[in-house]
Amino acid sequence: MHADGQSIQARTSLLLNALTHFTSAYTSTKDIHSLTAPFGTETRKVILSAYFEAIAVLQGQGVVEIPSGPEPALLSAAAKGKASVFALFGGQGTNEVYFDELQALYDIYKPFIAPYLFSTIQVLQSLAEDEEDTTYYTYGFDIIRWLDDPSLRPSVQYLASVPISFPLIGLTQLVQYLVVCKVAGLTPGELRARISGATGHSQGLVSAVVLAASATFESFIENSCKALKWLFYSGLRGQQAFPVVSVEPNLVQDSVNGGEGVPSPMLSITGLNLHEVESHITKTNAHLPSNSHLHVSLHNGPRAFVITGPARALHGLVNSLRKVRAPSGLDQSKIPFSQRKPVFSVRFLVVGVPYHSAYLSGTTDQLLEDLEEDLWQPQDLKISVFNTEDGHYFLFSLSMCD
């Protein structure tokens, strides 16, 4: 036993000396991420994972003075009041690739991430096991197993389904914030003190609230568990309110061939103004029953909108837009401006539920019932969380159709 203790002490001392030399030689004035930026992906991953594993081992052995590189310049400037940093979290736009992001984070920062995942994903596993409607959770939330062995990862179709992607995209965002804390050597509260405010698009607001409410790693885990419960039920109730309906193969192929992607309940149109978009929607709605009407649900910019409705109905809108859209690569330089066809893009979002639309009216009450007491209060937030529509400060909107 004594010999083992001596061996561990000797190895720890050797590791500390090696890290001290590496820091002095390579990262005394340059952050490890900046140092490895020019390297290839795999080389960079190997160096970063070894570097942070060394730090984690030394921390685990109780080493107090661990050598580190310089503090990130942006955070340093924010601490001195010379820069303003805001945290912005996205929505469902990454639900085909988010797990690749989580995998990359796990591969590099595993010693920091794994304990957090073990503490939080039990919430999702428990909720999925208790849910009577299990058709959405065929493979459950066996996240650690999928990360440790990517060959066991379920299909993209499963991971992109809203009941799965909704909470896991949120989890990925929270892991990203945790990594920033660990790499910068700051607690969630210390990092929060460098941030002037937070916001998010759609479900990203949940991550913004977690950031604003967390001061310690313990409270960060507690708030993460509340957030995952919210995201679990928001994804589930949204899908139950708007079940997946298969679209005829010929319509799917037509959209794929046309470059718009697989039909879904949400369609992005970029390049037209609101009047032009609404004009086409009005013409399409004239041929649809009232329970299948299309709506402009998101204004992502003066010429960027998201339209919601049944996938088949949206495909009809796509057909109408094709008739007026300039073909890709068309040279109109010699055509009078007044006669040129408009240039804009149209694509279906890989989202199975029309969030931000009247199609989910009534689900908010069910969601509030699911959450019971797991809600945040205004006094829980220690920095401002901003409304993405008008910039006003607000606590948090639970409405799934806002």
Side-chain angles (χ1 to χ4, degrees), residues 199-344:
T199 188
H201 171 68
S202 188
Q203 72 167 86
L205 281 169
V206 184
S207 299
V209 168
V210 171
L211 180 161
S214 302
T216 65
F217 287 111
E218 291 74 19
S219 63
F220 182 70
I221 291 175
E222 180 182 345
N223 284 309
S224 294
C225 289
K226 289 173 64 174
L228 290 177
K229 182 177 180 180
W230 189 97
L231 292 166
F232 175 88
Y233 280 117
S234 185
L236 174 62
R237 300 309 179 202
Q239 192 69 86
Q240 289 175 333
F242 197 90
V244 176
V245 177
S246 60
V247 179
E248 291 83 347
N250 63 311
L251 297 184
V252 174
Q253 192 61 52
D254 178 65
S255 291
V256 172
N257 292 342
E260 296 92 9
V262 177
S264 76
M266 301 189 81
L267 180 73
S268 171
I269 301 177
T270 305
L272 295 179
N273 62 43
L274 182 59
H275 175 73
E276 292 169 321
V277 171
E278 289 180 331
S279 174
H280 288 287
I281 289 176
T282 299
K283 293 176 182 178
T284 302
N285 283 342
H287 302 284
L288 297 171
S290 59
N291 61 355
S292 294
H293 276 188
L294 308 179
H295 309 276
V296 178
S297 293
L298 291 172
H299 295 219
N300 291 335
R303 300 176 71 85
F305 307 94
V306 174
I307 320 304
T308 55
R312 289 194 190 92
L314 285 172
H315 180 267
L317 175 61
V318 167
N319 276 333
S320 174
L321 291 170
R322 284 178 186 167
K323 297 175 183 178
V324 300
R325 182 177 59 185
S328 178
L330 176 65
D331 182 7
Q332 302 188 83
S333 60
K334 297 181 180 180
I335 300 176
F337 189 82
S338 61
Q339 299 177 24
R340 294 179 184 178
K341 287 191 172 184
V343 178
F344 59 94

Side-chain angles (χ1 to χ4, degrees), residues 94-174:
T94 61
N95 66 337
E96 279 190 300
V97 297
Y98 72 87
F99 208 88
D100 291 334
E101 295 179 21
L102 183 59
Q103 184 74 63
L105 291 167
Y106 186 77
D107 290 343
I108 294 173
Y109 309 102
K110 182 177 179 179
F112 302 142
I113 294 174
Y116 170 80
L117 291 178
F118 278 117
S119 300
T120 54
I121 62 174
Q122 294 176 15
V123 172
L124 297 177
Q125 293 170 337
S126 178
L127 291 173
E129 290 170 0
D130 293 342
E131 180 56 44
E132 294 181 1
D133 192 349
T134 60
T135 56
Y136 301 118
Y137 306 106
T138 307
Y139 303 101
F141 288 96
D142 205 353
I143 300 167
I144 297 291
R145 187 162 172 258
W146 302 338
L147 291 171
D148 282 332
D149 187 352
S151 68
L152 301 176
R153 189 193 301 183
S155 67
V156 171
Q157 181 180 9
Y158 178 78
L159 293 174
S161 64
V162 168
I164 301 299
S165 65
F166 219 87
L168 292 192
I169 287 175
L171 179 64
T172 301
Q173 292 174 342
L174 295 173

Side-chain angles (χ1 to χ4, degrees), residues 16 30 51 161 268 285 291 310 375 397:
L16 178 59
K30 181 180 290 188
Y51 178 81
S161 64
S268 171
N285 283 342
N291 61 355
L375 299 173
S397 173

Side-chain angles (χ1 to χ4, degrees), residues 198-200 205 209 381 384-388 391-397:
T199 188
L205 281 169
V209 168
L381 308 186
S384 298
V385 176
F386 296 98
N387 187 313
T388 48
H392 282 100
Y393 167 79
F394 74 133
L395 169 60
F396 187 53
S397 173

Side-chain angles (χ1 to χ4, degrees), residues 297-298 355-357 389 397-402:
S297 293
L298 291 172
Y355 284 99
H356 309 281
S357 76
E389 287 192 16
S397 173
L398 283 169
S399 176
M400 300 169 72
C401 54
D402 280 354

Side-chain angles (χ1 to χ4, degrees), residues 325-374:
R325 182 177 59 185
S328 178
L330 176 65
D331 182 7
Q332 302 188 83
S333 60
K334 297 181 180 180
I335 300 176
F337 189 82
S338 61
Q339 299 177 24
R340 294 179 184 178
K341 287 191 172 184
V343 178
F344 59 94
S345 64
V346 179
R347 67 180 181 87
F348 285 101
L349 303 182
V350 189
V351 180
V353 176
Y355 284 99
H356 309 281
S357 76
Y359 284 100
L360 298 186
S361 296
T363 54
T364 300
D365 292 339
Q366 175 65 61
L367 181 59
L368 288 171
E369 185 178 325
D370 292 325
L371 295 175
E372 299 177 348
E373 302 300 321
D374 289 322

